PDB file of all heavy atoms in Angstrom:
ATOM      1  N   ASP A  27      14.360  30.046 -11.383  1.00 98.00           N
ATOM      2  CA  ASP A  27      14.864  28.691 -11.628  1.00 98.00           C
ATOM      3  C   ASP A  27      15.734  28.684 -12.894  1.00 98.00           C
ATOM      4  O   ASP A  27      15.212  28.841 -14.003  1.00 98.00           O
ATOM      5  CB  ASP A  27      13.638  27.761 -11.777  1.00 98.00           C
ATOM      6  CG  ASP A  27      14.007  26.286 -11.813  1.00 98.00           C
ATOM      7  OD1 ASP A  27      15.213  25.983 -11.848  1.00 98.00           O
ATOM      8  OD2 ASP A  27      13.082  25.449 -11.821  1.00 98.00           O
ATOM      9  N   LEU A  28      17.062  28.536 -12.732  1.00 98.00           N
ATOM     10  CA  LEU A  28      17.950  28.450 -13.897  1.00 98.00           C
ATOM     11  C   LEU A  28      18.158  26.983 -14.276  1.00 98.00           C
ATOM     12  O   LEU A  28      18.354  26.154 -13.395  1.00 98.00           O
ATOM     13  CB  LEU A  28      19.316  29.077 -13.597  1.00 98.00           C
ATOM     14  CG  LEU A  28      19.344  30.523 -13.104  1.00 98.00           C
ATOM     15  CD1 LEU A  28      20.795  31.022 -13.020  1.00 98.00           C
ATOM     16  CD2 LEU A  28      18.535  31.441 -14.001  1.00 98.00           C
ATOM     17  N   PHE A  29      18.143  26.658 -15.559  1.00 98.00           N
ATOM     18  CA  PHE A  29      18.220  25.278 -16.061  1.00 98.00           C
ATOM     19  C   PHE A  29      17.006  24.507 -15.505  1.00 98.00           C
ATOM     20  O   PHE A  29      17.155  23.479 -14.848  1.00 98.00           O
ATOM     21  CB  PHE A  29      19.522  24.584 -15.639  1.00 98.00           C
ATOM     22  CG  PHE A  29      20.771  25.338 -15.987  1.00 98.00           C
ATOM     23  CD1 PHE A  29      21.423  26.128 -15.044  1.00 98.00           C
ATOM     24  CD2 PHE A  29      21.300  25.277 -17.276  1.00 98.00           C
ATOM     25  CE1 PHE A  29      22.576  26.834 -15.367  1.00 98.00           C
ATOM     26  CE2 PHE A  29      22.452  25.984 -17.603  1.00 98.00           C
ATOM     27  CZ  PHE A  29      23.098  26.758 -16.646  1.00 98.00           C
ATOM     28  N   CYS A  30      15.819  25.024 -15.790  1.00 98.00           N
ATOM     29  CA  CYS A  30      14.609  24.514 -15.109  1.00 98.00           C
ATOM     30  C   CYS A  30      14.137  23.172 -15.642  1.00 98.00           C
ATOM     31  O   CYS A  30      13.292  22.525 -14.998  1.00 98.00           O
ATOM     32  CB  CYS A  30      13.492  25.535 -15.214  1.00 98.00           C
ATOM     33  SG  CYS A  30      12.982  25.835 -16.929  1.00 98.00           S
ATOM     34  N   GLY A  31      14.627  22.714 -16.811  1.00 98.00           N
ATOM     35  CA  GLY A  31      14.174  21.429 -17.355  1.00 98.00           C
ATOM     36  C   GLY A  31      12.659  21.406 -17.442  1.00 98.00           C
ATOM     37  O   GLY A  31      12.006  22.397 -17.815  1.00 98.00           O
ATOM     38  N   SER A  32      12.060  20.302 -17.042  1.00 98.00           N
ATOM     39  CA  SER A  32      10.600  20.183 -17.139  1.00 98.00           C
ATOM     40  C   SER A  32       9.904  20.779 -15.914  1.00 98.00           C
ATOM     41  O   SER A  32       8.685  20.751 -15.829  1.00 98.00           O
ATOM     42  CB  SER A  32      10.223  18.717 -17.313  1.00 98.00           C
ATOM     43  OG  SER A  32      10.822  17.959 -16.292  1.00 98.00           O
ATOM     44  N   GLY A  33      10.674  21.291 -14.945  1.00 98.00           N
ATOM     45  CA  GLY A  33      10.039  22.069 -13.873  1.00 98.00           C
ATOM     46  C   GLY A  33       9.933  21.395 -12.515  1.00 98.00           C
ATOM     47  O   GLY A  33       9.156  21.840 -11.668  1.00 98.00           O
ATOM     48  N   ALA A  34      10.720  20.353 -12.263  1.00 98.00           N
ATOM     49  CA  ALA A  34      10.637  19.679 -10.961  1.00 98.00           C
ATOM     50  C   ALA A  34      11.026  20.621  -9.819  1.00 98.00           C
ATOM     51  O   ALA A  34      10.348  20.692  -8.787  1.00 98.00           O
ATOM     52  CB  ALA A  34      11.540  18.440 -10.962  1.00 98.00           C
ATOM     53  N   VAL A  35      12.108  21.370 -10.023  1.00 98.00           N
ATOM     54  CA  VAL A  35      12.585  22.264  -8.958  1.00 98.00           C
ATOM     55  C   VAL A  35      11.587  23.413  -8.739  1.00 98.00           C
ATOM     56  O   VAL A  35      11.318  23.817  -7.606  1.00 98.00           O
ATOM     57  CB  VAL A  35      14.005  22.773  -9.308  1.00 98.00           C
ATOM     58  CG1 VAL A  35      14.366  24.024  -8.536  1.00 98.00           C
ATOM     59  CG2 VAL A  35      15.022  21.669  -9.012  1.00 98.00           C
ATOM     60  N   VAL A  50      14.562  29.508 -16.956  1.00 98.00           N
ATOM     61  CA  VAL A  50      15.217  29.428 -18.271  1.00 98.00           C
ATOM     62  C   VAL A  50      15.697  28.002 -18.538  1.00 98.00           C
ATOM     63  O   VAL A  50      16.166  27.307 -17.636  1.00 98.00           O
ATOM     64  CB  VAL A  50      16.394  30.442 -18.385  1.00 98.00           C
ATOM     65  CG1 VAL A  50      17.425  30.222 -17.310  1.00 98.00           C
ATOM     66  CG2 VAL A  50      17.053  30.362 -19.747  1.00 98.00           C
ATOM     67  N   ASP A  51      15.519  27.587 -19.784  1.00 98.00           N
ATOM     68  CA  ASP A  51      16.086  26.314 -20.259  1.00 98.00           C
ATOM     69  C   ASP A  51      16.097  26.394 -21.784  1.00 98.00           C
ATOM     70  O   ASP A  51      15.213  27.007 -22.386  1.00 98.00           O
ATOM     71  CB  ASP A  51      15.252  25.110 -19.811  1.00 98.00           C
ATOM     72  CG  ASP A  51      16.060  23.819 -19.861  1.00 98.00           C
ATOM     73  OD1 ASP A  51      16.295  23.309 -20.987  1.00 98.00           O
ATOM     74  OD2 ASP A  51      16.465  23.326 -18.795  1.00 98.00           O
ATOM     75  N   MET A  52      17.098  25.760 -22.418  1.00 98.00           N
ATOM     76  CA  MET A  52      17.170  25.866 -23.872  1.00 98.00           C
ATOM     77  C   MET A  52      16.429  24.729 -24.588  1.00 98.00           C
ATOM     78  O   MET A  52      16.273  24.758 -25.808  1.00 98.00           O
ATOM     79  CB  MET A  52      18.632  25.903 -24.328  1.00 98.00           C
ATOM     80  CG  MET A  52      19.361  24.597 -24.168  1.00 98.00           C
ATOM     81  SD  MET A  52      21.129  24.765 -24.453  1.00 98.00           S
ATOM     82  CE  MET A  52      21.161  24.970 -26.204  1.00 98.00           C
ATOM     83  N   ASN A  53      15.944  23.728 -23.833  1.00 98.00           N
ATOM     84  CA  ASN A  53      15.336  22.567 -24.475  1.00 98.00           C
ATOM     85  C   ASN A  53      13.868  22.826 -24.816  1.00 98.00           C
ATOM     86  O   ASN A  53      13.074  23.201 -23.952  1.00 98.00           O
ATOM     87  CB  ASN A  53      15.471  21.364 -23.531  1.00 98.00           C
ATOM     88  CG  ASN A  53      14.924  20.102 -24.146  1.00 98.00           C
ATOM     89  OD1 ASN A  53      13.713  19.925 -24.199  1.00 98.00           O
ATOM     90  ND2 ASN A  53      15.792  19.246 -24.620  1.00 98.00           N
ATOM     91  N   CYS A  56      11.216  20.483 -23.010  1.00 98.00           N
ATOM     92  CA  CYS A  56      11.133  20.863 -21.586  1.00 98.00           C
ATOM     93  C   CYS A  56      10.285  22.124 -21.454  1.00 98.00           C
ATOM     94  O   CYS A  56       9.474  22.244 -20.531  1.00 98.00           O
ATOM     95  CB  CYS A  56      12.519  21.139 -21.010  1.00 98.00           C
ATOM     96  SG  CYS A  56      13.456  19.645 -20.683  1.00 98.00           S
ATOM     97  N   LYS A  72      15.973  29.619 -23.945  1.00 98.00           N
ATOM     98  CA  LYS A  72      17.201  30.260 -24.451  1.00 98.00           C
ATOM     99  C   LYS A  72      18.441  29.550 -23.964  1.00 98.00           C
ATOM    100  O   LYS A  72      18.413  28.940 -22.876  1.00 98.00           O
ATOM    101  CB  LYS A  72      17.269  31.688 -23.896  1.00 98.00           C
ATOM    102  CG  LYS A  72      16.679  32.728 -24.814  1.00 98.00           C
ATOM    103  CD  LYS A  72      17.140  34.101 -24.449  1.00 98.00           C
ATOM    104  CE  LYS A  72      17.704  34.784 -25.684  1.00 98.00           C
ATOM    105  NZ  LYS A  72      17.781  36.229 -25.505  1.00 98.00           N
ATOM    106  N   ASP A  73      19.492  29.665 -24.731  1.00 98.00           N
ATOM    107  CA  ASP A  73      20.804  29.276 -24.227  1.00 98.00           C
ATOM    108  C   ASP A  73      21.171  30.316 -23.165  1.00 98.00           C
ATOM    109  O   ASP A  73      21.178  31.518 -23.449  1.00 98.00           O
ATOM    110  CB  ASP A  73      21.814  29.299 -25.389  1.00 98.00           C
ATOM    111  CG  ASP A  73      23.172  28.784 -24.955  1.00 98.00           C
ATOM    112  OD1 ASP A  73      23.556  28.998 -23.783  1.00 98.00           O
ATOM    113  OD2 ASP A  73      23.867  28.184 -25.792  1.00 98.00           O
ATOM    114  N   ILE A  74      21.485  29.855 -21.984  1.00 98.00           N
ATOM    115  CA  ILE A  74      21.707  30.795 -20.874  1.00 98.00           C
ATOM    116  C   ILE A  74      22.853  31.759 -21.173  1.00 98.00           C
ATOM    117  O   ILE A  74      22.872  32.878 -20.665  1.00 98.00           O
ATOM    118  CB  ILE A  74      21.955  30.011 -19.560  1.00 98.00           C
ATOM    119  CG1 ILE A  74      21.696  30.916 -18.354  1.00 98.00           C
ATOM    120  CG2 ILE A  74      23.339  29.376 -19.516  1.00 98.00           C
ATOM    121  CD1 ILE A  74      21.529  30.168 -17.054  1.00 98.00           C
ATOM    122  N   ARG A  75      23.780  31.339 -22.050  1.00 98.00           N
ATOM    123  CA  ARG A  75      24.926  32.203 -22.345  1.00 98.00           C
ATOM    124  C   ARG A  75      24.509  33.470 -23.089  1.00 98.00           C
ATOM    125  O   ARG A  75      25.224  34.458 -23.074  1.00 98.00           O
ATOM    126  CB  ARG A  75      25.969  31.429 -23.168  1.00 98.00           C
ATOM    127  CG  ARG A  75      26.657  30.363 -22.333  1.00 98.00           C
ATOM    128  CD  ARG A  75      27.468  29.419 -23.155  1.00 98.00           C
ATOM    129  NE  ARG A  75      26.614  28.554 -23.951  1.00 98.00           N
ATOM    130  CZ  ARG A  75      27.011  27.444 -24.539  1.00 98.00           C
ATOM    131  NH1 ARG A  75      28.266  27.058 -24.424  1.00 98.00           N
ATOM    132  NH2 ARG A  75      26.173  26.712 -25.234  1.00 98.00           N
ATOM    133  N   CYS A  98      20.472  24.313 -11.374  1.00 98.00           N
ATOM    134  CA  CYS A  98      20.737  22.880 -11.588  1.00 98.00           C
ATOM    135  C   CYS A  98      21.361  22.716 -12.966  1.00 98.00           C
ATOM    136  O   CYS A  98      20.714  22.217 -13.906  1.00 98.00           O
ATOM    137  CB  CYS A  98      19.448  22.082 -11.482  1.00 98.00           C
ATOM    138  SG  CYS A  98      18.574  22.384  -9.953  1.00 98.00           S
ATOM    139  N   ALA A  99      22.597  23.162 -13.097  1.00 97.00           N
ATOM    140  CA  ALA A  99      23.294  23.109 -14.388  1.00 97.00           C
ATOM    141  C   ALA A  99      23.540  21.653 -14.788  1.00 97.00           C
ATOM    142  O   ALA A  99      23.551  20.764 -13.922  1.00 97.00           O
ATOM    143  CB  ALA A  99      24.613  23.855 -14.250  1.00 97.00           C
ATOM    144  N   PRO A 100      23.757  21.388 -16.097  1.00 95.00           N
ATOM    145  CA  PRO A 100      23.998  20.006 -16.525  1.00 95.00           C
ATOM    146  C   PRO A 100      25.114  19.355 -15.709  1.00 95.00           C
ATOM    147  O   PRO A 100      26.153  19.976 -15.452  1.00 95.00           O
ATOM    148  CB  PRO A 100      24.414  20.158 -17.989  1.00 95.00           C
ATOM    149  CG  PRO A 100      23.808  21.440 -18.424  1.00 95.00           C
ATOM    150  CD  PRO A 100      23.800  22.336 -17.212  1.00 95.00           C
ATOM    151  N   LEU A 120      28.982  26.147 -17.948  1.00 97.00           N
ATOM    152  CA  LEU A 120      27.637  26.745 -17.928  1.00 97.00           C
ATOM    153  C   LEU A 120      27.234  27.222 -16.536  1.00 97.00           C
ATOM    154  O   LEU A 120      26.539  28.222 -16.382  1.00 97.00           O
ATOM    155  CB  LEU A 120      26.589  25.733 -18.435  1.00 97.00           C
ATOM    156  CG  LEU A 120      26.579  25.486 -19.945  1.00 97.00           C
ATOM    157  CD1 LEU A 120      25.611  24.359 -20.284  1.00 97.00           C
ATOM    158  CD2 LEU A 120      26.200  26.757 -20.687  1.00 97.00           C
ATOM    159  N   ASN A 342      16.241  13.164 -16.165  1.00 97.00           N
ATOM    160  CA  ASN A 342      17.114  14.315 -15.903  1.00 97.00           C
ATOM    161  C   ASN A 342      16.637  15.171 -14.737  1.00 97.00           C
ATOM    162  O   ASN A 342      17.324  16.117 -14.342  1.00 97.00           O
ATOM    163  CB  ASN A 342      17.167  15.231 -17.133  1.00 97.00           C
ATOM    164  CG  ASN A 342      18.179  14.742 -18.151  1.00 97.00           C
ATOM    165  OD1 ASN A 342      19.113  14.030 -17.795  1.00 97.00           O
ATOM    166  ND2 ASN A 342      17.991  15.115 -19.404  1.00 97.00           N
ATOM    167  N   ALA A 343      15.468  14.854 -14.220  1.00 98.00           N
ATOM    168  CA  ALA A 343      14.862  15.753 -13.219  1.00 98.00           C
ATOM    169  C   ALA A 343      15.528  15.622 -11.852  1.00 98.00           C
ATOM    170  O   ALA A 343      16.129  14.604 -11.514  1.00 98.00           O
ATOM    171  CB  ALA A 343      13.375  15.474 -13.101  1.00 98.00           C
ATOM    172  N   VAL A 344      15.367  16.678 -11.086  1.00 98.00           N
ATOM    173  CA  VAL A 344      15.755  16.661  -9.671  1.00 98.00           C
ATOM    174  C   VAL A 344      14.517  16.151  -8.922  1.00 98.00           C
ATOM    175  O   VAL A 344      13.422  16.651  -9.170  1.00 98.00           O
ATOM    176  CB  VAL A 344      16.082  18.097  -9.207  1.00 98.00           C
ATOM    177  CG1 VAL A 344      16.390  18.146  -7.723  1.00 98.00           C
ATOM    178  CG2 VAL A 344      17.228  18.660 -10.033  1.00 98.00           C
TER     179      VAL A 344
HETATM  180  C1  LIG B   1      19.859  18.682 -14.711  1.00 69.61           C
HETATM  181  S1  LIG B   1      18.790  19.270 -15.921  1.00 69.61           S
HETATM  182  C2  LIG B   1      17.787  20.355 -14.977  1.00 69.61           C
HETATM  183  C3  LIG B   1      16.750  19.688 -14.137  1.00 69.61           C
HETATM  184  C4  LIG B   1      15.680  20.625 -13.674  1.00 69.61           C
HETATM  185  N1  LIG B   1      16.179  21.725 -12.899  1.00 69.61           N
HETATM  186  C5  LIG B   1      14.559  19.941 -12.895  1.00 69.61           C
HETATM  187  O1  LIG B   1      13.989  20.572 -12.019  1.00 69.61           O
HETATM  188  O2  LIG B   1      14.249  18.800 -13.159  1.00 69.61           O
HETATM  189  C6  LIG B   1      19.799  20.406 -16.819  1.00 69.61           C
HETATM  190  C7  LIG B   1      19.043  21.266 -17.817  1.00 69.61           C
HETATM  191  O3  LIG B   1      19.951  22.209 -18.390  1.00 69.61           O
HETATM  192  C8  LIG B   1      19.472  22.527 -19.676  1.00 69.61           C
HETATM  193  N2  LIG B   1      20.561  23.173 -20.421  1.00 69.61           N
HETATM  194  C9  LIG B   1      21.714  22.592 -20.872  1.00 69.61           C
HETATM  195  N3  LIG B   1      22.482  23.512 -21.473  1.00 69.61           N
HETATM  196  C10 LIG B   1      21.825  24.700 -21.397  1.00 69.61           C
HETATM  197  C11 LIG B   1      22.130  26.031 -21.839  1.00 69.61           C
HETATM  198  N4  LIG B   1      23.271  26.309 -22.482  1.00 69.61           N
HETATM  199  N5  LIG B   1      21.227  27.010 -21.597  1.00 69.61           N
HETATM  200  C12 LIG B   1      20.058  26.733 -20.956  1.00 69.61           C
HETATM  201  N6  LIG B   1      19.717  25.485 -20.523  1.00 69.61           N
HETATM  202  C13 LIG B   1      20.591  24.482 -20.736  1.00 69.61           C
HETATM  203  C14 LIG B   1      19.032  21.195 -20.232  1.00 69.61           C
HETATM  204  O4  LIG B   1      18.092  21.374 -21.280  1.00 69.61           O
HETATM  205  C15 LIG B   1      18.424  20.518 -18.987  1.00 69.61           C
HETATM  206  O5  LIG B   1      17.035  20.677 -18.956  1.00 69.61           O
END
Side-chain angles (χ1 to χ4, degrees):
D27 189 353
L28 305 187
F29 307 98
C30 63
S32 53
V35 161
V50 58
D51 200 285
M52 70 190 287
N53 183 283
C56 284
K72 266 198 128 162
D73 185 327
I74 200 164
R75 290 168 290 196
C98 306
L120 285 174
N342 277 336
V344 176

